[in-house]
Amino acid sequence: MSGENARAARRGAVAPTLAVLAALLAVGVPPAAAAPAASTAIVVSDDAGNTLRLARPARRIVSLAPHITETLYAAGVGERVVGSVDYADYPEAAKRLPRVGGYSRLDAEAVLALKPDLVVGWQSGNAPAQIERLRALGIPVFLSQPNHIEDVASALERFGELGGEPVAGHAAATQFRERLAALRARYGERPKVRTFYQIWKQPLMTIGGRQIISDAIRLCGGDNIFAALDTMAPTVTVEGVLAANPEAIVASGMDAARPEWLDDWRRWPSLTAVARDNLFFVPPELIQRHTPRLLDGAERLCQALETARSRRR
């Protein structure tokens, strides 16, 4: 891995050697006024189809991905989170949590030392062998994998239930769904904008149709030019992009700064996106993290595609 790619991987961005988008990292929800009694049993199905049974709501939760940590806080159970992974940096309280390694390289001993009664893992991001090791140690594991925007609301509800704050989780989910519906009503039926979403330069990487960002493009009335690809984060060619001739190019990069390589497309002035100056940037923490803040990123994306529509001759 090159120095540039290694730095990006450490920041939680998508590195060229990863098969799927990395989690880059919610609207805070106040705790419910009253939690269920400690003896209340919890039965919840996770995104891998497993049924998780807890004798009582979890009080010591370890999160295995930055976006999971953020969503746990948004669901009102942040006070129950006792550990997380590197680069879990939102909300502010998450920065102070003990670390148990990175999402792709966990320290099982560090997890065990925190004495969790629940671990929330990332199905496509955590290594299956590491998850099975935690289960072998007798730790209950809930696997999360939100592939659609609506799945974030479901995660909020289930996280709230698992942590004994179902009222807070439901309130956060309701707020999320209402905002999502408003965005869909405003932009969903707008004229289509053929869109290329770039997550990396070398190799040139984009998103397939099953990836949650492709879902955001659809929400905004966009048309992902590589939606037919089944891979979450496929590698494509410059020639393929030029042949598809997108009307808009959207990039994320690895931090809050607009990536310089977005302007590399200006080498092809005949490209529609270049000719109309439709080269847009959305901060990765708002669009590449499966959290309630995804709607902040989606709103920026929708505004960018609306700008592209306004520039049609």
Side-chain angles (χ1 to χ4, degrees):
M1 180 181 291
S2 70
E4 181 184 13
N5 292 343
R7 287 192 296 273
R10 288 193 297 269
R11 288 175 179 270
V14 178
T17 55
L18 294 181
V20 294
L21 285 171
L24 294 167
L25 254 193
V27 178
V29 177
S39 60
T40 303
I42 305 296
V43 180
V44 178
S45 294
D46 70 9
D47 291 333
N50 305 307
T51 299
L52 180 67
R53 293 178 173 84
L54 300 178
R56 59 189 61 81
R59 287 295 179 267
R60 297 187 62 82
I61 302 173
V62 172
S63 163
L64 302 186
H67 70 278
I68 290 174
T69 303
E70 179 177 338
T71 305
L72 285 164
Y73 274 91
V77 298
E79 292 184 356
R80 278 74 162 169
V81 181
V82 297
S84 187
V85 292
D86 296 339
Y87 306 106
D89 58 4
Y90 191 92
E92 189 66 25
K95 297 178 181 179
R96 299 188 290 272
L97 292 171
R99 304 301 177 182
V100 294
Y103 74 88
S104 61
R105 295 191 64 180
L106 301 173
D107 183 340
E109 286 71 25
V111 174
L112 193 62
L114 292 172
K115 300 180 180 178
D117 50 12
L118 174 66
V119 165
V120 182
W122 180 25
Q123 185 181 7
S124 66
N126 302 141
Q130 293 177 323
I131 295 297
E132 290 310 312
R133 184 179 181 190
L134 294 176
R135 284 180 169 145
L137 292 171
I139 303 173
V141 177
F142 178 98
L143 288 178
S144 176
Q145 183 62 38
N147 289 327
H148 302 282
I149 297 177
E150 291 86 351
D151 295 342
V152 174
S154 176
L156 288 165
E157 289 175 329
R158 287 178 290 170
F159 289 178
E161 185 173 355
L162 288 167
E165 297 289 354
V167 175
H170 179 74
T174 298
Q175 181 182 23
F176 184 90
R177 290 188 176 110
E178 290 175 349
R179 188 179 176 193
L180 175 59
L183 287 172
R184 181 171 286 120
R186 182 174 180 182
Y187 296 106
E189 299 302 320
R190 298 289 290 146
K192 298 295 183 185
V193 177
R194 288 176 53 75
T195 304
F196 171 57
Y197 188 93
Q198 183 177 357
I199 57 177
W200 204 254
K201 178 185 177 181
Q202 291 180 340
L204 183 58
M205 297 180 72
T206 187
I207 53 170
R210 295 189 301 113
Q211 218 283 334
I212 198 167
I213 301 172
S214 193
D215 209 20
I217 292 173
R218 286 189 291 269
L219 170 68
C220 297
D223 183 12
N224 175 9
I225 63 171
F226 290 111
L229 299 181
D230 193 55
T231 306
M232 287 284 195
T235 298
V236 295
T237 65
V238 170
E239 291 76 16
V241 176
L242 295 177
N245 192 25
E247 186 178 355
I249 295 177
V250 182
S252 52
M254 66 180 185
D255 53 34
R258 184 181 188 273
E260 294 180 0
W261 41 258
L262 177 57
D263 289 317
D264 288 350
W265 293 105
R266 297 191 188 279
R267 300 173 188 171
W268 294 275
S270 62
L271 197 62
T272 300
V274 174
R276 299 181 186 176
D277 197 27
N278 291 334
L279 304 178
F280 304 109
F281 165 67
V282 179
E285 68 174 27
L286 300 183
I287 195 71
Q288 290 185 188
R289 288 183 176 182
H290 314 55
T291 76
R293 286 194 296 163
L294 176 62
L295 293 186
D296 293 338
E299 186 166 10
R300 293 196 188 196
L301 175 62
C302 290
Q303 291 168 353
L305 298 192
E306 193 66 10
T307 297
R309 294 184 186 98
S310 73
R311 292 173 176 169
R312 288 173 173 169
R313 295 182 178 87

